[in-house]
């Protein structure tokens, strides 16, 4: 399973945003919507072996939305449709247990610490511009369950960095040029699809 964790520091935890102006009214949920598209959407279909965890920190209490490729329905390539699906999930009552919104989309309260605990058995890879070159990872380092952790336009806070470090993540780079999170996701999917990493 490929897991992508994207942290939205200002991303709203309520459904009170406008689909006519997603960036301006949702705390940049548009960044997370694009990451969802990059993670799942193929030319003709949805990747089944992908799970995306969106950490929304722009409200009173953090929320996490999980999208599971195996059962995901109604996802289209456009940002507005994705935002509408997230809006529905955010309209559910907040609780610590996962609640299903639409097929393959779940929501609960809690943030990065809880998701890292859920994924404690996965190989954790934290994407950061100054990390080790991803090409130095051997393919075995990414076989099995892998979880890639990415920030938003504000990067990651020192507290989050220390959580990620304590969870045992490797810090890996796609080059020194700072890219958009969704573009990183496309590159990661390509790297895993094409098996170009060194065979360890
Ligand atoms: C737009 S970038 C963040 C920009 C910048 N780090 C900052 O502090 O504002 C969003 C996320 O994509 C990932 N990222 C962007 N470029 C990267 C690169 N060249 N290598 C690895 N990860 C990258 C990181 O996880 C980053 O937090």
């Amino acid at each position: 399973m490929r897991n992508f964790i994207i942290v939205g520091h200002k991303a709203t935890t309520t459904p009170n945003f406008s689909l006519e102006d997603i960036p301006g009214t949702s705390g940049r949920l548009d960044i997370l919507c694009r990451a969802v598209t990059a993670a799942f959407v193929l030319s003709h279909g949805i990747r089944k072996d992908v799970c995306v965890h969106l950490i929304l920190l722009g409200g009173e209490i953090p929320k996490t939305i999980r999208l599971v490729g195996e059962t995901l329905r109604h996802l289209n390539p456009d940002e507005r449709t994705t935002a509408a699906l997230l809006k529905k999930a955010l309209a559910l009552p907040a609780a610590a247990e996962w609640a299903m919104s639409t097929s393959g989309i779940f929501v609960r309260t809690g943030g990065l610490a809880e998701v890292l605990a859920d994924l404690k058995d996965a190989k954790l890879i934290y994407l950061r511009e100054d990390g080790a070159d991803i090409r130095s990872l051997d393919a075995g380092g990414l076989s099995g369950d892998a979880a890639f952790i990415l920030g938003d336009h504000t990067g990651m806070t020192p507290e989050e960095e220390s959580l990620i470090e304590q969870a045992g993540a490797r810090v890996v780079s796609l080059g020194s040029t700072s890219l958009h999170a969704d573009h990183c996701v496309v590159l990661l999917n390509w790297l895993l699809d094409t098996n170009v990493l060194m065979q360890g």
Side-chain angles (χ1 to χ4, degrees):
M1 176 68 77
R2 292 177 197 178
N3 291 279
F4 295 100
I5 304 168
I6 303 108
V7 180
H9 293 94
K10 300 229 160 36
T12 184
T13 55
T14 80
N16 306 330
F17 63 90
S18 167
L19 292 175
E20 308 307 324
D21 179 13
I22 302 164
T25 60
S26 70
R28 298 306 312 271
L29 213 51
D30 59 305
I31 294 174
L32 305 189
C33 291
R34 286 193 290 277
V36 167
T37 305
F40 288 112
V41 178
L42 295 167
S43 185
H44 293 288
I46 295 289
R47 292 179 186 269
K48 301 283 182 202
D49 61 341
V50 168
C51 188
V52 170
H53 312 254
L54 303 176
I55 315 279
L56 312 179
L57 300 178
E60 278 172 25
I61 45 165
K63 282 188 186 175
T64 300
I65 296 180
R66 186 173 70 181
L67 300 96
V68 181
E70 186 63 39
T71 52
L72 190 56
R73 300 281 178 274
H74 315 303
L75 188 72
N76 288 326
D78 66 293
E79 232 166 89
R80 187 190 165 96
T81 303
T82 309
L85 290 171
L86 301 184
K87 200 183 211 332
K88 267 192 187 167
L90 292 174
L92 291 179
E97 299 303 317
W98 289 115
M100 192 171 87
S101 166
T102 49
S103 183
I105 302 187
F106 305 82
V107 62
R108 74 171 182 205
T109 54
L112 184 61
E114 288 81 357
V115 170
L116 291 176
D118 290 347
L119 294 171
K120 63 180 183 323
D121 295 327
K123 285 160 187 149
L124 295 178
I125 313 280
Y126 170 33
L127 273 294
R128 203 176 64 195
E129 291 85 331
D130 63 353
D133 188 328
I134 196 158
R135 288 165 295 187
S136 68
L137 277 185
D138 63 63
L142 290 181
S143 62
D145 281 354
F148 300 94
I149 308 160
L150 298 109
D152 59 5
H153 59 301
T154 63
M156 214 63 90
T157 66
E159 294 75 21
E160 288 160 351
E161 292 238 327
S162 90
L163 260 182
I164 292 167
E165 188 190 331
Q166 282 162 27
R170 296 178 70 168
V171 187
V172 163
S173 170
L174 294 165
S176 56
T177 304
S178 190
L179 306 170
H180 289 292
D182 59 318
H183 295 176
C184 293
V185 173
V186 169
L187 290 171
L188 291 166
N189 267 333
W190 180 78
L191 277 168
L192 295 169
D193 288 348
T194 53
N195 246 335
V196 293
L197 295 175
M198 286 189 302
Q199 300 300 317

